[in-house]
């Protein structure tokens, strides 16, 4: 108890000191020096590429992620984010001229981007490299200082993140604090200027509560039960190929993976048969032997997932190995909505397949759940998929594929309702981490007298002005 108290006291002191140093550094305005920022981002790019093999190794040690998946979903995305930031940072950080209001004539109007100050980024374990560094890039580009708290469940990657970032940034600009619930709880007691959290809905609510007393603005990147609606107008073989990729990449531990399928009854049997074939094509008869198939991050999550198989009809897979944290790609046929697998976000390689006859059935299933982070429709019927996009509320989505909306930095990435607050990527990431100041610069060469008292006989002229310019 005494030791625990001492450890907590040390963490609090350390955090206070780091924040204090970062605030002083922020006051020097060095974090807004674009050339300095570019230099550090270039150095970060070099450090990451120099340690490419170490990154592969760390992710492999953490949950046997393959080099290919590590490159496309961790390293590649981060490098693209750095490149886009380097290319556009000058434009993003300049005051943006906007159309002035005729009511203020004569004036010039601008939006100024101003960094918040000291930002806390809390990252999850499932894409432990990318989901930690991508928000850090945006926060730094926008001129903030950062404290990053990576996940405690992927300790090899978190240590490497610490090494890479420490080699690039002085601590007063960016510091990595490693730790779990205790450390994060203590960090959340401090006053931050912005908090960016990626993780579960339950912890997101804890973070929002901690931010409330200080009115700290925040982004919450959370999860949800992402539906995938499939009508009968597309080749089931193509659907199966794209679904097997989207569901089983990272062993299903992806916040935007399709959580469950809602398939038109007429093609369900064929789709299940094609899914089985595609799983075997991708990972072989025994996926445990495949170099491309990752593991579940820890035994607690494996137990959570295998528990979902208890009251379900497994039609493919279902094999697991506790010692190896392995769970095979698994298909479940027609689970009840109150079964374990349909209660919460699955976040693993289990794909429940439900069927529908009418659009009313689709509504009745989706209405069971909060607004999801991802949403997918496979259909060649434009009217149908447009109706689905417009009818349901969700973070973002892809038609005729899964997850690929994440890869376009021109699209906002974020949730709505229970799946999150706010969005980022590309320019939006920069905007997320900057307060926008609206500025009017009034001209002095003309001073229209209308607005000044006394107002006698001016009301009609005012109405006309509003009609014209308002
Ligand atoms: P998590 O919520 O358990 O942990 C996220 C972070 O919060 C970690 O750094 C952890 O140390 C910290 N944390 C955990 N418990 C805490 C507590 N009680 N108090 C304070 N801090 C605490 O999430 P996870 O298991 O790492 O990730 C999985 C979840 O994240 C899934 O729900 C998934 O959908 C979601 N996710 C969302 C996105 C997105 O971009 N929207 C991306 C990846 C994952």
């Amino acid at each position: 108890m005494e030791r625990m108290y001492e450890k907590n006291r040390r963490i609090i002191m350390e955090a206070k000191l780091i924040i204090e140093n970062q605030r002083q550094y922020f006051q020097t305005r060095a974090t807004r020096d674009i050339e300095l920022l570019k230099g550090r981002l270039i150095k970060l790019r070099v450090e990451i590429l120099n340690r490419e093999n170490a990154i592969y190794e760390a992710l492999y040690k953490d949950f046997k992620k393959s080099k290919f998946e590590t490159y496309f979903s961790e390293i590649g995305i981060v490098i693209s984010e750095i490149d886009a930031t380097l290319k556009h940072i000058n434009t993003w950080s300049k005051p943006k001229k906007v159309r002035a209001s005729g009511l203020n004539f004569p004036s010039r109007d601008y939006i100024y981007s101003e960094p918040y100050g000291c930002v806390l980024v809390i990252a999850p374990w499932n894409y432990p490299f990318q989901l930690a560094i991508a928000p850090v890039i945006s926060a730094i580009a926008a001129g903030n200082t950062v404290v990053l708290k990576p996940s405690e469940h992927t300790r090899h990657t978190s240590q490497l993140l610490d090494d890479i970032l420490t080699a690039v940034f002085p601590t007063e600009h960016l510091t990595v604090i490693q730790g779990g619930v205790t450390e994060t709880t203590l960090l959340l007691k401090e006053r931050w200027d912005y908090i960016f959290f990626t993780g579960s809905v339950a912890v997101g609510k804890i973070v929002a509560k901690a931010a409330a007393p200080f009115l700290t603005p925040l982004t919450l990147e959370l999860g949800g039960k992402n539906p995938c609606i499939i009508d009968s107008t597309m080749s089931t073989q193509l659907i199966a190929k794209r679904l097997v990729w989207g569901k089983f990449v990272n062993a299903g531990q992806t916040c935007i993976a399709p959580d469950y399928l809602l398939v038109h009854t007429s093609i369900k049997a064929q789709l299940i048969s094609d899914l089985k074939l595609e799983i075997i094509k991708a990972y072989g008869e025994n996926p445990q032997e495949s170099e491309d198939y990752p593991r579940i991050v820890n035994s607690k999550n494996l137990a959570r997932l295998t528990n979902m198989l208890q009251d379900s009809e497994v039609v493919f897979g279902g094999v697991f190995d506790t010692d190896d944290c392995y769970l095979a790609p698994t298909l479940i046929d027609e689970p009840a909505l109150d079964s374990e697998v349909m209660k919460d976000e699955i976040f693993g390689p289990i794909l429940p397949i439900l069927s529908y006859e009418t659009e009313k059935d689709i509504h009745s299933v989706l209405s069971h759940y909060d607004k999801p982070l991802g949403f997918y429709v496979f259909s060649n019927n434009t009217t149908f998929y447009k109706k689905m996009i417009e009818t349901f509320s969700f973070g973002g989505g892809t038609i005729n594929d899964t997850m690929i909306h994440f890869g376009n930095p021109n699209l906002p990435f974020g949730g709505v309702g229970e799946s999150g607050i706010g969005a980022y990527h590309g320019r939006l990431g920069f905007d997320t981490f900057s307060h926008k100041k609206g500025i009017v610069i009034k001209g002095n060469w003309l001073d229209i007298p209308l607005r000044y008292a006394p107002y006698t006989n001016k009301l009609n002229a005012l109405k006309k002005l509003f009609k014209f310019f308002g």
Side-chain angles (χ1 to χ4, degrees):
M1 191 68 187
E2 191 58 32
R3 269 176 60 195
M4 173 87 123
Y5 175 76
E6 184 46 39
K7 186 186 166 205
N8 289 356
R9 208 176 63 87
R10 201 167 36 77
I11 297 165
I12 294 172
M13 293 304 294
E14 205 180 316
K16 283 197 191 304
L17 198 66
I18 289 165
I19 296 170
E20 181 54 36
N21 285 343
Q22 291 203 348
R23 286 204 196 287
Q24 277 177 21
Y25 187 61
F26 183 76
Q27 291 306 330
T28 67
R29 300 185 70 86
T31 63
R32 300 183 212 193
D33 178 337
I34 303 293
E35 289 315 308
L36 179 136
L37 292 183
K38 279 189 187 169
R40 288 188 181 157
L41 288 174
I42 290 168
K43 198 168 169 206
L44 177 61
R45 191 182 195 283
V46 171
E47 278 293 328
I48 291 172
L49 292 178
N50 281 350
R51 299 192 201 215
E52 189 176 328
N53 283 328
I55 300 171
Y56 292 139
E57 237 171 73
L59 266 296
Y60 189 82
K61 280 183 184 157
D62 282 331
F63 54 110
K64 285 199 180 169
K65 192 155 161 162
S66 67
K67 282 187 183 175
F68 186 89
E69 282 196 15
T70 298
Y71 193 85
F72 95 76
S73 68
E74 309 269 4
I75 303 173
I77 288 186
V78 165
I79 296 295
S80 305
E81 194 75 37
I82 295 176
D83 289 345
T85 306
L86 286 170
K87 191 168 167 198
H88 299 294
I89 187 168
N90 286 79
T91 320
W92 293 345
S93 48
K94 263 192 208 135
K96 185 175 174 236
K97 195 163 193 297
V98 293
R99 210 161 73 95
S101 162
L103 294 170
N104 294 333
F105 187 80
S107 80
R108 283 167 293 132
D109 293 17
Y110 296 89
I111 299 172
Y112 274 67
S113 291
E114 170 187 87
Y116 283 103
C118 193
V119 172
L120 173 65
V121 174
I122 304 174
W125 56 262
N126 63 325
Y127 289 87
F129 189 77
Q130 184 244 121
L131 291 174
I133 296 203
V136 163
I137 294 164
S138 299
I140 290 286
N144 301 280
T145 65
V146 176
V147 170
L148 167 67
K149 211 298 291 173
S151 175
E152 67 278 28
H153 298 302
T154 40
R155 59 191 179 88
H156 297 99
T157 310
S158 294
Q159 185 54 51
L160 190 59
L161 274 169
D162 200 339
D163 296 344
I164 290 174
L165 292 168
T166 309
V168 176
F169 294 92
T171 47
E172 61 271 26
H173 199 178
L174 190 156
T175 305
V176 178
I177 297 186
Q178 295 195 55
V181 178
T182 312
E183 288 75 8
T184 321
T185 306
L186 293 173
L187 286 176
L188 285 170
K189 288 192 195 305
E190 298 304 317
R191 180 182 207 123
W192 301 93
D193 298 308
Y194 199 93
I195 300 176
F196 188 100
F197 171 81
T198 308
S200 59
V201 175
V203 180
K205 288 178 183 172
I206 295 173
V207 173
K209 245 185 207 165
F214 303 112
L215 292 180
T216 301
L218 80 173
T219 297
L220 298 177
E221 293 283 342
L222 311 177
K225 239 176 146 42
N226 310 320
C228 178
I229 301 162
I230 303 169
D231 74 3
S232 56
T233 59
M234 249 182 93
S235 141
T236 49
Q237 207 185 352
L238 183 62
I239 300 171
K241 201 169 7 156
R242 292 179 179 174
L243 272 177
V244 166
W245 174 77
K247 179 69 190 186
F248 301 114
V249 87
N250 218 38
Q253 302 164 109
T254 307
C255 55
I256 47 168
D259 189 280
Y260 63 94
L261 307 185
L262 200 43
V263 192
H264 193 267
T265 335
S266 59
I267 60 149
K268 193 181 88 172
Q270 187 57 49
L271 182 65
I272 292 180
S273 157
D274 289 340
L275 282 168
K276 291 177 184 174
L277 285 177
E278 289 300 330
I279 292 171
I280 295 168
K281 256 198 220 165
Y283 302 112
E285 292 285 349
N286 180 3
Q288 193 168 7
E289 285 170 1
S290 163
E291 285 184 2
D292 298 327
Y293 189 67
R295 295 300 178 256
I296 304 306
V297 74
N298 53 35
S299 47
K300 191 174 157 205
N301 268 287
L302 181 69
R304 182 181 63 77
L305 291 165
T306 53
N307 185 44
M308 292 178 186
L309 306 179
Q310 303 307 317
D311 60 351
S312 303
E313 197 194 331
V314 174
V315 290
F316 190 76
V319 179
F320 60 93
D321 177 347
T322 315
D323 293 337
D324 190 22
C325 273
Y326 166 78
L327 174 58
T330 298
L331 304 178
I332 287 179
D333 193 15
E334 295 292 346
L337 290 186
D338 61 355
S339 63
E340 281 304 318
V341 78
M342 291 308 291
K343 274 186 189 153
D344 292 313
E345 177 188 17
I346 296 171
F347 217 58
I350 303 174
L351 185 60
I353 302 157
L354 288 83
S355 55
Y356 76 90
E357 284 277 357
T358 63
E359 282 183 30
K360 210 170 145 211
D361 300 337
I362 299 177
H363 283 260
S364 121
V365 172
L366 265 64
S367 64
H368 257 75
Y369 304 103
D370 288 306
K371 296 174 181 183
L373 182 63
F375 185 88
Y376 306 104
V377 181
F378 282 87
S379 172
N380 275 327
N381 179 342
T382 320
T383 315
F384 176 71
Y385 71 67
K386 281 191 173 164
K387 193 171 174 190
M388 294 296 106
I389 297 171
E390 282 161 17
T391 304
F392 297 104
S393 182
F394 53 89
T398 300
I399 304 302
N400 297 338
D401 209 328
T402 61
M403 308 212 293
I404 55 174
H405 58 291
F406 183 91
N408 181 354
N410 299 317
L411 293 174
F413 180 72
V416 59
E418 287 258 312
S419 58
I421 298 174
Y424 72 127
H425 282 185
R427 157 114 223 187
L428 246 155
F430 180 93
D431 289 343
T432 288
F433 289 104
S434 19
H435 163 62
K436 302 294 173 196
K437 292 200 284 207
I439 298 288
V440 172
I441 301 177
K442 181 78 177 172
N444 294 335
W445 57 273
L446 179 69
D447 194 39
I448 299 167
L450 183 73
R451 68 181 150 136
Y452 301 116
Y455 304 129
T456 333
N457 299 330
K458 286 182 174 177
L459 187 58
N460 278 341
L462 183 70
K463 282 183 182 172
K464 272 187 197 147
L465 212 63
F466 263 90
K467 204 166 167 193
F468 194 71
F469 290 118

